[in-house]
Amino acid sequence: MAAASTNSPGIGAAATEVPASAHREDSPRRTTVHVITDLDGPGQIPTRPSGCRLIASVDVEWSKNYQIKDGNRAFCYSIVWIAVPVSDTAVRVDGGLPFWSTSLYLDRDDERPDLIEAAAADIGAACENADLIVGHQLCSDLAVLSANAGPAVPAALTAARQAWRDRRSDSGSQRVIDTRYDAGHVLAQTSRRLVDVCGELNLDVTQPELARASMTALHRDWLHRSDVQARERVTVLNLRHSLSTAYVALRAVGYLSWRAPLNVNANLATQWAGRVGWLEHPTFRDLLGEGASK
């Protein structure tokens, strides 16, 4: 995998949205994918703070079609980077940690090659630079991205899938954590749905985005009716998945503990303030409260 370039905006730097008309100079096909990032775009990584481990968490949203082989279609992904001080014992925090992130959402179905390219760049950067790479059912996310790539699967995706298969045979500490399968030792309940795992670990991940519509319906509203709030709801839902998965993994490997409950929504609002309209909606703001994580 090619080495990723670095960027050091400072922990907590504001995310910015790349103009929708951005396109690669080597391609005549214009793209309108929506990218929100505080790392100058896909493939970029934060500068590791001194004395810290760097954790990368990935989550992909995809429409499901089990009637045909490889019928699932990715339409949104995010990667979250968190720095945690190296310590012999779990670092205890009173609220959400600062993080860096990149989020990408398609404007049209024919832009999927751009999503695959961007996701591969971010996943490759994680494989090259992160101390810990995590996801919740990461194997499925990587499989969908690879299937959507067609015959020319990016090397970064192939390498990441192999790292997932080898994750329990790594010498020394485990570098890839799939929280659906690798966090059972810190859980008492049987459910491995991310929302249930988070609830058991005292992570507040309330999902108001799904109160009246499924993710599939929200995505359809965006594609067919250009409903910006629908896209923003899914974007926030996806980013919450990446961020909460990072916390579950950090708890599972013993790097982090927190005062209960840790409000993941407040953590999101603090980092992405002013960048996504849905975060300012009264329904979302009602989740934050006076004791919001900082």
Side-chain angles (χ1 to χ4, degrees):
M1 288 170 277
S5 55
T6 60
N7 185 282
S8 180
I11 294 179
T16 56
E17 183 160 4
V18 175
S21 61
H23 66 285
R24 299 190 309 275
E25 293 298 329
D26 60 348
S27 173
R29 182 168 60 88
R30 294 184 67 83
T31 65
T32 52
V33 293
H34 293 264
V35 180
I36 303 173
T37 182
D38 49 17
L39 290 169
D40 295 333
Q44 305 292 317
I45 66 169
T47 298
R48 180 196 307 271
S50 177
C52 288
R53 295 182 175 97
L54 197 58
I55 287 79
S57 182
V58 177
D59 191 80
V60 181
E61 307 300 344
W62 28 279
S63 57
K64 298 173 178 62
N65 184 344
Y66 299 117
Q67 302 304 311
I68 60 174
K69 181 178 175 57
D70 296 330
N72 301 328
R73 296 289 182 262
F75 60 84
C76 173
Y77 85 89
S78 60
I79 184 168
V80 165
W81 299 80
I82 296 180
V84 179
V86 176
S87 174
D88 292 334
T89 59
V91 176
R92 187 170 180 83
V93 295
D94 291 330
L97 292 173
F99 62 86
W100 299 267
S101 56
T102 294
S103 164
L104 186 147
Y105 201 117
L106 297 184
D107 191 59
R108 306 185 309 271
D109 275 335
D110 65 359
E111 296 169 341
R112 193 159 290 106
D114 299 284
L115 181 146
I116 303 303
E117 179 182 351
D122 272 324
I123 291 168
C127 290
E128 290 283 349
N129 298 279
D131 296 293
L132 193 65
I133 305 156
V134 305
H136 192 78
Q137 205 162 334
L138 179 62
C139 54
S140 296
D141 286 346
L142 293 174
V144 169
L145 291 173
S146 297
N148 289 177
V153 179
L157 297 181
T158 301
R161 297 185 75 185
Q162 188 62 51
W164 184 91
R165 287 189 287 268
D166 295 341
R167 71 192 190 284
R168 293 176 180 170
S169 60
D170 289 345
S171 59
S173 59
Q174 187 172 337
R175 188 164 174 257
V176 176
I177 299 290
D178 190 322
T179 53
R180 183 172 180 85
Y181 307 107
D182 303 330
H185 59 288
V186 296
L187 301 170
Q189 305 302 317
T190 58
S191 174
R192 292 299 179 265
R193 289 198 314 154
L194 181 57
V195 65
D196 294 330
V197 169
C198 289
E200 185 175 347
L201 295 181
N202 289 310
L203 292 167
D204 184 348
V205 294
T206 305
Q207 303 178 128
E209 297 82 14
L210 302 181
R212 296 184 179 179
S214 67
M215 184 184 300
T216 300
L218 289 170
H219 179 55
R220 186 168 56 245
D221 285 346
W222 164 242
L223 288 183
H224 301 315
R225 299 198 295 111
S226 299
D227 186 335
V228 172
Q229 188 183 100
R231 170 173 59 81
E232 291 184 341
R233 286 182 180 227
V234 177
T235 294
V236 170
L237 188 71
N238 176 246
L239 188 66
R240 186 189 296 113
H241 289 166
S242 287
L243 184 57
S244 59
T245 295
Y247 285 126
V248 172
L250 289 167
R251 175 73 172 272
V253 297
Y255 290 169
L256 199 68
S257 65
W258 47 83
R259 181 187 65 187
L262 191 157
N263 190 332
V264 176
N265 285 307
N267 198 184
L268 287 174
T270 298
Q271 291 290 117
W272 273 28
R275 300 296 174 178
V276 180
W278 170 242
L279 295 179
E280 308 303 324
H281 192 282
T283 299
F284 190 91
R285 301 302 298 181
D286 283 346
L287 304 176
L288 308 185
E290 294 181 359
S293 304
K294 300 297 183 185

